[in-house]
Amino acid sequence: MHKILALVASLLTATATLAADPTCTSPKDKWMSQADFKAKVAAEGFKVKTFKVTKGNCYEIYGTDKAGKKVEIHYDPATATPVAFQ
């Protein structure tokens, strides 16, 4: 029984690690303004439904791409480079 509990705990820890938000390390004084960032991704064809700054200091959008497909993308706030997407 202890082996099963250890296995379950190990799997839960691995799942939580995979689901964690990425971390962005750019200093805040180098970040692109939120308005400029939103304009940039809109010019790239994304429609932003929700925008937020994550606990890991990344910009995150939920919305749709040019084809209307739902997206969730994390960006480095200084460079507007995607760091993770789903």
Side-chain angles (χ1 to χ4, degrees):
M1 184 67 167
H2 287 2
K3 288 182 182 181
I4 293 173
L5 289 175
L7 177 62
V8 169
S10 175
L11 290 173
L12 289 173
T13 301
T15 302
T17 302
L18 290 175
D21 285 341
T23 299
C24 296
T25 58
S26 300
K28 288 190 177 188
D29 64 331
K30 303 290 183 194
W31 288 16
M32 180 181 294
S33 75
Q34 292 180 15
D36 288 346
F37 172 79
K38 290 176 187 177
K40 181 183 184 319
V41 294
E44 293 173 357
F46 292 97
K47 291 186 181 174
V48 178
K49 181 177 179 181
T50 304
F51 168 87
K52 69 178 188 174
V53 177
T54 67
K55 291 180 183 177
N57 288 321
C58 297
Y59 283 168
E60 180 180 26
I61 64 164
Y62 294 88
T64 55
D65 63 12
K66 290 183 222 182
K69 182 180 174 188
K70 289 183 179 182
V71 295
E72 174 186 343
I73 309 173
H74 292 80
Y75 291 87
D76 180 295
T79 64
T81 303
V83 293
F85 52 92
Q86 295 179 352

